Amino acid sequence: MSSKKVTSANDASSSRDGGESVIADHGRRRSTCGYCKSPARSSISHGLSAETLTVSDYQALIDRGWRRSGCYLYKHEMDKTCCPSYTIRLKASDFIPSKEQQRVSRRLERFLEGKLDVQSMEQREHAGASSSLGTSKSEEKSKVEPVMDDLSKMIDQAVQICIQSGELPSNMQIPKASVKKVFCEKSKKLAKGPEQLLYTSNVAFPIAAAIKRTLTSEKVEINGNKLSPETISEMLLSAMSKLEETPGISIKICKGHINFLSSSKDSFSEKDNISRGANSTAEGENHKARRKLNLEMRLKRSSFDREEHELYKRYQLKVHNDNPSHVVESSYRRFLVDSPLIYVQPSGDEKVPHCGFGSFHQQYRVDGRLVAVGVVDILPKCLSSVYLFWDPDYAFLSLGKYSAIQEINWVRENQVHCPSLEYYYLGYYIHSCSKMRYKAAYRPSELLCPLRFQWVPFEVARPLLDKKPYVILSDITDSQNQASSLPYASETLATSEHEDMEQGETNDRYMGGSDDDDDDDEEMDESESEDTHIDSDYIDNIIISLYGSQYRYKDLRKMLNPVGRKQLEPMLQSYRKVVGDELSERMVYELR
């Protein structure tokens, strides 16, 4: 029988993307897990290798939970694997940087301007201890700390007075007060008036949040004004006025903060400010002598670069303590250089950005020195972050966080030229792995439902992920929509600890299970899959490449004997299930 020339189900897409996707199926794989470090082969995924892959097809794949490591594509079987991995993204135009992320940007700006002391904290402490200024500060610290402790106890006593009087609820745990010293640069923000601000406490804010959570769980209607930090700070001020006064210190409130002030000229803070002022003058003279540095970001198509490889080796050996045999050129090429994505050139219209679509390396150079490399895929709807490695000498700059912010900004800027380019994909979010939770710090983010492939706001998904690692996320929004409570859920879950999370500097490094790691990977028999039977008609339109020709399976079936059909059809059924109907009829399934 002569071979039939197969026409792709999406010719327009193939033409625009410059080719077709050719995929080889590796089936289900079981491997050790690099996240939970289980000694068992508890990580279960489905693997494909791509000879070529159009950017449109890869966009569709990552929107079904797939990721790539070089030319190897993988997707975890979420209900069976040990550490369920949810695709996470955010809409770049909606990004709201946290205080920590803003600090990272300001720190790098100060570094470039020559205003940042790049000594390590250990060096600073050693230098301070050996100087008269350091001795003075140490003595001062011993005098200041008891005062702060006394003030904290005073606030705690005031809280108890409010509880006894019924102003604060007694059926909850009230956070302990913490009093912090205020330096001159922050005093104007926290207090008004001529008196000198020495210490401050923001305890009214966590108290208000704790009360709100308690009353919400008990389904009691909340009066927002009654529970505001401003009102709580007024209550505490009134209660503290009934306690013994602290000599030389007056108490005022401002915007929910409890402030402790002194009108005395001979105060701890003033001494500290004089010392700091003298030190700042000396530092200022040093800063004048420092030359400003230039940060350059270069986006180039993915290719092997020896300078990048040397930086990668330093990073992996020093930051991740990798075995030197794992960072050789061949493994680096497979992991971060090789890409199946077919490059799409700029079209001059608003459908492709100026750099085109494909796989790229974003270099960060300080005065010509390569300090970081971000490996990214630029696709029709998003910039997808693959990996980042940086110079360990520049760890103090938090380049992982900085590069993520820059990649988000890149999407914002290029959406003007390519309106479809809206999202920033951070790879996989693994709630059961603490070191992978940093990705939720980029807000407002969404997680992909592993069953229906709908996007669900992270703050909605988080409470259930706290209870169990695998959740059908779209069930949450369905039930909440029925109860008309989704807006309320978003509001009450908006406060999280992610603001001060420390970001790991990597995105997704496939930890075991690729076709290059045969010693740590094993194929699973299809009988283990527990897949329900699918009628053979369901796979009729899959495009199959065999001996240089392409066929629809309905045509190829006629050429196969019963044994051949029995072997091939379960593989095609499994393949169609994991990539979806549309992609299975558009990509070419290569038989090897």
Side-chain angles (χ1 to χ4, degrees), residues 167-355:
E167 294 176 279
L168 291 177
S170 58
N171 61 337
M172 58 169 286
Q173 187 165 349
I174 299 290
K176 289 288 185 181
S178 174
V179 173
K180 296 182 180 179
K181 188 172 181 178
V182 179
F183 295 105
C184 58
E185 61 267 24
K186 291 186 178 180
S187 60
K188 291 182 180 179
K189 297 180 181 178
L190 295 175
K192 298 178 181 178
E195 293 178 295
Q196 186 176 359
L197 177 58
L198 302 180
Y199 315 105
T200 187
S201 175
N202 66 351
V203 69
F205 291 87
I207 290 176
I211 295 173
K212 188 172 184 179
R213 285 195 300 270
T214 300
L215 296 182
T216 301
S217 65
E218 295 177 0
K219 299 182 180 179
V220 177
E221 188 174 346
I222 298 172
N223 184 330
N225 293 329
K226 203 169 186 180
L227 295 176
S228 69
E230 291 82 358
T231 304
I232 292 173
S233 63
E234 290 173 3
M235 291 162 46
L236 296 177
L237 177 63
S238 176
M240 282 188 286
S241 67
K242 301 173 185 177
L243 301 173
E244 183 179 350
E245 293 185 3
T246 303
I249 291 181
S250 62
I251 309 173
K252 293 184 179 180
I253 58 172
C254 179
K255 299 178 180 178
H257 293 266
I258 301 173
N259 297 325
F260 301 91
L261 306 97
S262 173
S263 56
S264 170
K265 292 182 181 179
D266 187 20
S267 67
F268 300 139
S269 290
E270 187 166 333
K271 288 180 183 178
D272 181 57
N273 292 339
I274 291 171
S275 298
R276 283 168 56 84
N279 192 44
S280 297
T281 302
E283 288 180 358
E285 291 174 357
N286 290 336
H287 289 157
K288 289 178 183 177
R290 292 179 188 170
R291 181 175 58 84
K292 290 188 177 182
L293 303 174
N294 178 59
L295 173 66
E296 182 184 5
M297 290 178 280
R298 302 177 187 172
L299 185 67
K300 69 183 191 68
R301 289 179 59 187
S302 181
S303 61
F304 179 76
D305 182 307
R306 194 158 300 282
E307 185 182 15
E308 290 182 359
H309 179 228
E310 290 301 318
L311 178 61
Y312 170 78
K313 286 196 294 185
R314 289 191 60 221
Y315 170 77
Q316 293 297 139
L317 295 174
K318 191 163 185 179
V319 177
H320 290 291
N321 298 313
D322 270 11
N323 187 315
S325 64
H326 294 167
V327 295
V328 295
E329 181 180 321
S330 58
S331 64
Y332 169 71
R333 283 180 180 270
R334 284 197 304 268
F335 176 33
L336 294 176
V337 178
D338 295 346
S339 171
L341 296 186
I342 301 170
Y343 177 66
V344 178
Q345 295 184 350
S347 56
D349 54 19
E350 293 189 343
K351 295 182 179 179
V352 182
H354 295 323
C355 61

Side-chain angles (χ1 to χ4, degrees), residues 16 75 133 155 166 260 278 296 340 443 451 483 575:
R16 185 191 70 186
K75 174 184 177 179
L133 177 61
I155 296 175
F260 301 91
E296 182 184 5
R443 296 179 287 183
L451 182 64
Y575 167 72

